[in-house]
Amino acid sequence: MIQKKYFTTPIYYVNDVPHIGHAYCTLATDTLARYWRNKIGPDNVKFLTGTDENSQKTVDAAAKHGKEIYAYLDEMAENWKTTWEQCGLQFDDFIRTTEGRHHDKVAEMFQRIYDKGDIYKGSYKGLYCTGCETFYKESELVDGNCPDHKKPPMELEEENYFFRLSKYEKPLLEYYQKNPEFLVPESRKNEILSFIQSGLEDISVSRETAEFGISLPMDEKHKVYVWFDALINYLSALPDGENNEFWKDADVTHIVGKDITRFHCVIWPAMLMSAGIKLPDQVFGHGYFTVDGTKMSKSLGNVVNPLDLSKKFGNDALRSGLLSSFTFGSDGDFSVERFHDFYDSRLAGGIGNLFNRVIVLINKFLDGNKPEIQRPRNYTGRSGSAEEFVDFQLHEGLFVNLESYQLYSAYNHLFELVDKANELMNETEVWKLVKEDEEKAKIVFGELLAYLEVIMLISCTLLPETAGKMQQMLGDEKKAGKAQILFPQVDRTVVEEKETPRSTVKFTVNPKLIEQGYQVKAALITIPKISKKQSKPFRAHATEVLGNLDIDAALNAEIIQVANKSYADAEVDGKHPAVHLLEILKKSGKLPNINNVVDAYNLASVDYQISFGVHDIEKIDGDVKLDFTTGSEDYTPLGSKEKVKVNKDEYAFMDGSQILCRMDCKQCEKTKITMQTKHILIYAQGNSAVDALYLENGLDEAIENLVEYCGGGHVERVI
Ligand code: MSP
């Protein structure tokens, strides 16, 4: 029987925007699918990707954008699909979990597992993180927070249906023993095995409170748990599900990130065992990308969009730049600078330059006549003819590496061939030799053509868009084609335009103030352009936040009482900024519209009753400290031209020459945000009524608003 291959990526949460982490996974899968299409024929390979849509997150995100849920889902799913298309990915199907074919299959599987007696009703109380859509054990939390989302999970108690995962503990262990290659790489397998060995508990697979999703066939009030639903996409995309040739007769390979291997290697196989369906053949758990050493996240504003890279550098640069960065399976880091270096050295200066030089010289000195290919003299490997050299390199470079998921090694093999060819050119100085001894030069060109041939063949899988151009340059058997620039120069300044240099600010707090309960969380953020207008999505978001706010309770919050007491004790006529805003809100039903930046943090300020200090970094003199005043500091309050004298032993935020914010109530004039401001220092100020986590969450919300609604980026935490 002809071998068949079925490759899948995870289905992506539709409310997110595609970033290079997602692109990494999808490009890797695309590369494997391409390799196998070339080897066993396109009809024998299927590559599936798609979007995960039945989650509470999508309902919240639609509301946040003031959109009807299905309109929002269609728009977002289209965005994912076109992003992948524009990045040059060739998937055979794109599944959305809101489609009828998926709903039907999920209902059928659920019923089947229920009929088997593996789903039962019970009640559940636990800690649930909506970010991960997962329950956590107390012991898995870090300082009471979800280890991934750094936010406390919510307590959830509801009647649930449970899946008897515990029943599959032994069968799973046996399966792993019989199929040692089921989960690769080895390190991930060890993690999963020890997780299973530590004992599996039954898992809740329904939500009574969910508004959106797939109803249980036996109980309309409940919705299927989003992960139980999502995993089934791999079957629902196949007509006839598990009876389709791409399941029953194929090698089924799931490529997933390390964070979701547990779902794919414990829950999914157990579900399939229960339903009596063949298990996938292999799961590959790849590693994670950080950006400049930091986890990529919307709230940090460091998300790298693959489309930006593809537009600037081209799809093959995106593909090779990501896949050749580190071993598939390990973690690694991305930086625009390094990506650009890679582009210059490996692509433009390496492959591009090699092809260009060889073809230009053959056209110029040999009238475009291609000499016969030769086994390269500087190749020290196995002996044989030029053709054998090409076949052997192709085998070593592609087959060996891609059949064992070594994408990184495959690219490096390609780059080594380029280096060898360039070395041969330079050693023989063929551009001079051709003028002195044409016959000798023809031999060198023949050797170079052997390199170009194999590089082009490997590129059909690894640099698919460039391979076509390489083929044109190589022409036909006799004549070379026209020279082309395979990888044009990319101007560094264009790419780094967004990264306008910004001074950084050091922040310190007098320990005595910390003892009294004063604390601060601060960050720097860059805003491309401040606007007077509020955007529609921001207005929708503000309406939702303010709709959930109890204004009177907020005005009486302890954090405000403590602040008021400190102003009274210091005999300062101050008003906490959140109180000022809450009073306006109470009176007029709205918050003032100053500009999109001020409005963004004001919203977080009333939501958390936190006072934010917000300053134009360029106008700050040196570092910032929160300290006691001596009484001799300079201070001109916001909106005033006159200096005001402060008392000794008040507390204030100060830079090298003046008070930036008196207590937590009044900022100064000099560093205020104007329409020209680009770089901002924002700090959340807290007192003994709140803890550090509360302050952190408040600052996070302000930053998220600035990122989401003001295009803010390059966020850097400073304290
Ligand atoms: N919807 C689930 C998957 C359901 S599959 C039945 C989900 N979606 S996700 O959008 O959050 O993540 C999808 C994939 O992207 C995961 O494999 C995840 O590991 C991967 N990545 C997300 N961020 C990543 C990096 N920074 N680096 C590499 N891969 C990353 O989970």
Side-chain angles (χ1 to χ4, degrees):
M1 200 192 310
I2 299 176
Q3 190 185 8
K4 290 200 181 296
K5 288 267 179 189
Y6 180 33
F7 286 101
T8 68
T9 71
I11 45 173
Y12 301 101
Y13 286 126
V14 77
N15 54 305
D16 240 331
V17 286
H19 61 53
I20 51 163
H22 307 126
Y24 180 64
C25 187
T26 321
L27 282 163
T29 316
D30 180 76
T31 306
L32 296 169
R34 275 173 197 273
Y35 167 74
W36 284 100
R37 278 193 203 113
N38 288 340
K39 180 161 178 181
I40 59 176
D43 295 344
N44 294 317
V45 178
K46 197 175 182 88
F47 166 21
L48 173 74
T49 189
T51 40
D52 192 350
E53 306 184 13
N54 297 319
S55 140
Q56 185 59 32
K57 281 194 250 191
T58 49
V59 183
D60 298 344
K64 193 164 162 184
H65 290 87
K67 293 214 166 117
E68 189 275 320
I69 177 91
Y70 285 101
Y72 172 77
L73 290 175
D74 287 349
E75 195 182 300
M76 295 304 282
E78 189 56 28
N79 181 36
W80 278 89
K81 192 163 174 228
T82 49
T83 298
W84 295 150
E85 283 164 352
Q86 286 170 11
C87 290
L89 291 151
Q90 267 178 5
F91 40 89
D92 298 297
D93 198 353
F94 188 94
I95 180 116
R96 298 180 52 189
T97 56
T98 41
E99 287 176 64
R101 57 176 174 162
H102 181 71
H103 276 233
D104 294 349
K105 186 69 195 172
V106 171
E108 190 243 310
M109 283 277 285
F110 205 95
Q111 186 72 51
R112 221 196 296 182
I113 297 175
Y114 181 79
D115 291 345
K116 177 88 182 274
D118 283 346
I119 287 179
Y120 62 92
K121 204 169 177 182
S123 122
Y124 196 88
K125 191 173 169 191
L127 298 164
Y128 194 74
C129 170
T130 42
C132 314
E133 301 278 13
T134 308
F135 277 103
Y136 276 100
K137 293 182 197 160
E138 195 96 42
S139 60
E140 290 174 309
L141 304 179
V142 179
D143 297 333
N145 289 327
C146 158
D148 255 4
H149 291 86
K150 315 274 182 258
K151 284 192 177 151
M154 58 177 182
E155 276 219 20
L156 207 67
E157 181 167 15
E158 53 178 40
E159 197 172 64
N160 275 185
Y161 285 79
F162 286 83
F163 171 56
R164 285 187 208 285
L165 185 62
S166 56
K167 179 175 156 188
Y168 292 94
E169 193 176 306
K170 263 218 173 113
L172 280 170
L173 289 173
E174 278 166 19
Y175 188 80
Y176 272 92
Q177 198 151 40
K178 280 204 202 113
N179 300 278
E181 300 275 283
F182 174 61
L183 169 59
V184 274
E186 191 73 15
S187 55
R188 301 256 184 278
K189 189 171 80 188
N190 297 339
E191 266 168 44
I192 293 291
L193 279 179
S194 57
F195 175 73
I196 303 175
Q197 279 154 352
S198 74
L200 294 180
E201 288 173 17
D202 293 351
I203 55 162
S204 140
V205 288
S206 73
R207 292 278 167 280
E208 197 182 357
T209 46
E211 301 163 47
F212 194 67
I214 304 177
S215 302
L216 304 202
M218 66 290 299
D219 191 342
E220 285 283 308
K221 280 204 324 268
H222 292 256
K223 300 279 190 272
V224 177
Y225 168 47
V226 62
W227 265 102
F228 197 87
D229 147 358
L231 289 161
I232 297 173
N233 88 87
Y234 304 128
L235 282 175
S236 63
L238 300 173
D240 272 345
E242 61 281 13
N243 298 317
N244 188 289
E245 52 183 2
F246 278 104
W247 196 274
K248 72 179 168 48
D249 308 326
D251 269 347
V252 177
T253 306
H254 299 312
I255 307 290
V256 302
K258 62 176 183 180
D259 55 327
I260 59 173
T261 40
R262 214 184 264 188
F263 293 99
H264 285 81
C265 297
V266 181
I267 300 179
W268 178 227
M271 285 164 67
L272 291 167
M273 281 176 179
S274 171
I277 299 175
K278 184 196 114 173
L279 265 52
D281 296 271
Q282 209 156 43
V283 178
F284 191 98
H286 66 74
Y288 246 58
F289 253 111
T290 48
V291 169
D292 297 322
T294 316
K295 187 181 161 180
M296 233 185 312
S297 103
K298 259 208 269 185
S299 69
L300 289 178
N302 64 348
V303 169
V304 181
N305 183 337
L307 264 187
D308 289 346
L309 296 176
S310 129
K311 282 184 196 147
K312 292 244 144 77
F313 297 91
N315 283 336
D316 282 347
L318 168 71
R319 175 185 292 269
S320 55
L322 296 185
L323 298 178
S324 71
S325 304
F326 49 88
T327 318
F328 196 49
S330 310
D331 294 333
D333 188 54
F334 176 90
S335 86
V336 176
E337 186 74 17
R338 254 181 285 126
F339 185 85
H340 211 135
D341 291 346
F342 162 83
Y343 182 84
D344 286 349
S345 66
R346 287 294 183 199
L347 301 182
I351 299 183
N353 197 25
L354 169 71
F355 267 75
N356 197 269
R357 280 163 85 196
V358 174
I359 301 301
V360 163
L361 290 174
I362 292 181
N363 277 320
K364 187 165 171 195
F365 294 104
L366 307 179
D367 282 336
N369 293 317
K370 277 164 71 177
E372 198 186 332
I373 69 163
Q374 307 278 343
R375 182 173 185 272
R377 69 189 66 183
N378 67 343
Y379 168 63
T380 49
R382 229 163 53 176
S383 60
S385 65
E387 285 78 10
E388 276 170 326
F389 160 79
V390 170
D391 283 349
F392 181 71
Q393 287 305 320
L394 195 58
H395 182 271
E396 290 295 289
L398 268 192
F399 309 170
V400 169
N401 290 320
L402 292 193
E403 292 191 14
S404 56
Y405 304 98
Q406 301 301 314
L407 293 149
Y408 164 85
S409 309
Y411 277 103
N412 282 294
H413 189 99
L414 177 71
F415 300 143
E416 274 167 29
L417 284 169
V418 176
D419 287 347
K420 280 268 181 206
N422 272 324
E423 204 179 276
L424 175 65
M425 261 196 120
N426 295 337
E427 273 167 15
T428 54
E429 299 191 310
V430 67
W431 58 93
K432 279 191 203 155
L433 186 66
V434 73
K435 290 183 224 159
E436 294 152 12
D437 186 340
E438 192 174 303
E439 285 317 302
K440 270 195 187 159
K442 273 189 188 163
I443 303 213
V444 179
F445 281 120
E447 293 167 281
L448 288 167
L449 284 171
Y451 276 120
L452 298 200
E453 181 76 17
V454 70
I455 290 169
M456 182 274 288
L457 290 171
I458 293 181
S459 296
C460 292
T461 303
L462 299 187
L463 301 167
E465 293 186 5
T466 313
K469 293 183 200 155
M470 292 174 172
Q471 221 161 350
Q472 290 168 358
M473 284 170 87
L474 286 171
D476 56 28
E477 232 169 84
K478 297 219 156 69
K479 284 261 180 196
K482 270 217 320 247
Q484 300 179 41
I485 306 283
L486 296 179
F487 297 99
Q489 283 285 317
V490 176
D491 188 355
R492 279 195 188 243
T493 54
V494 179
V495 178
E496 281 143 22
E497 186 179 64
K498 281 197 209 145
E499 298 178 14
T500 342
R502 170 186 71 191
S503 17
T504 184
V505 172
K506 246 182 48 207
F507 217 112
T508 47
V509 181
N510 183 326
K512 286 223 172 87
L513 279 163
I514 298 178
E515 271 166 34
Q516 294 179 15
Y518 293 104
Q519 40 183 328
V520 57
K521 292 279 169 201
L524 311 180
I525 179 165
T526 297
I527 304 285
K529 193 162 175 25
I530 299 187
S531 153
K532 286 227 152 97
K533 259 178 68 185
Q534 286 184 344
S535 67
K536 232 166 134 187
F538 177 74
R539 283 206 300 273
H541 175 59
T543 309
E544 194 200 335
V545 172
L546 299 178
N548 290 330
L549 186 73
D550 178 340
I551 302 178
D552 289 321
L555 279 164
N556 285 317
E558 205 189 332
I559 181 169
I560 287 182
Q561 316 262 2
V562 173
N564 285 342
K565 186 169 180 306
S566 71
Y567 308 151
D569 289 350
E571 294 174 0
V572 169
D573 183 20
K575 192 177 222 172
H576 192 279
V579 172
H580 175 67
L581 292 166
L582 285 161
E583 283 171 350
I584 296 177
L585 181 64
K586 195 167 171 180
K587 234 196 204 154
S588 68
K590 297 191 290 208
L591 287 176
N593 177 197
I594 316 288
N595 61 50
N596 63 345
V597 166
V598 177
D599 300 353
Y601 65 75
N602 274 351
L603 183 64
S605 173
V606 291
D607 198 18
Y608 277 82
Q609 301 92 49
I610 284 176
S611 161
F612 289 106
V614 188
H615 306 266
D616 186 329
I617 300 175
E618 307 309 335
K619 296 178 193 152
I620 290 179
D621 174 16
D623 294 334
V624 178
K625 59 180 182 181
L626 173 60
D627 208 346
F628 293 104
T629 51
T630 59
S632 62
E633 291 85 358
D634 260 5
Y635 173 53
T636 311
L638 187 69
S640 159
K641 288 202 174 76
E642 307 293 315
K643 276 194 191 153
V644 166
K645 190 168 160 33
V646 298
N647 310 317
K648 184 169 180 294
D649 288 338
E650 284 179 19
Y651 64 89
F653 292 86
M654 305 169 230
D655 67 8
S657 50
Q658 60 169 340
I659 288 184
L660 298 177
C661 190
R662 184 180 195 185
M663 308 193 80
D664 47 12
C665 53
K666 194 88 180 162
Q667 289 195 200
C668 70
E669 175 69 17
K670 188 172 151 210
T671 59
K672 74 177 178 197
I673 304 295
T674 68
M675 299 302 285
Q676 280 70 47
T677 300
K678 264 197 140 40
H679 307 298
I680 289 176
L681 164 69
I682 175 166
Y683 48 87
Q685 312 173 39
N687 53 37
S688 57
V690 296
D691 61 12
L693 181 66
Y694 183 88
L695 213 54
E696 184 84 45
N697 287 342
L699 179 64
D700 265 355
E701 176 156 311
I703 292 176
E704 270 169 33
N705 289 345
L706 290 167
V707 170
E708 182 96 18
Y709 306 107
C710 310
H714 303 281
V715 181
E716 182 190 331
R717 304 281 164 154
V718 283
I719 189 167

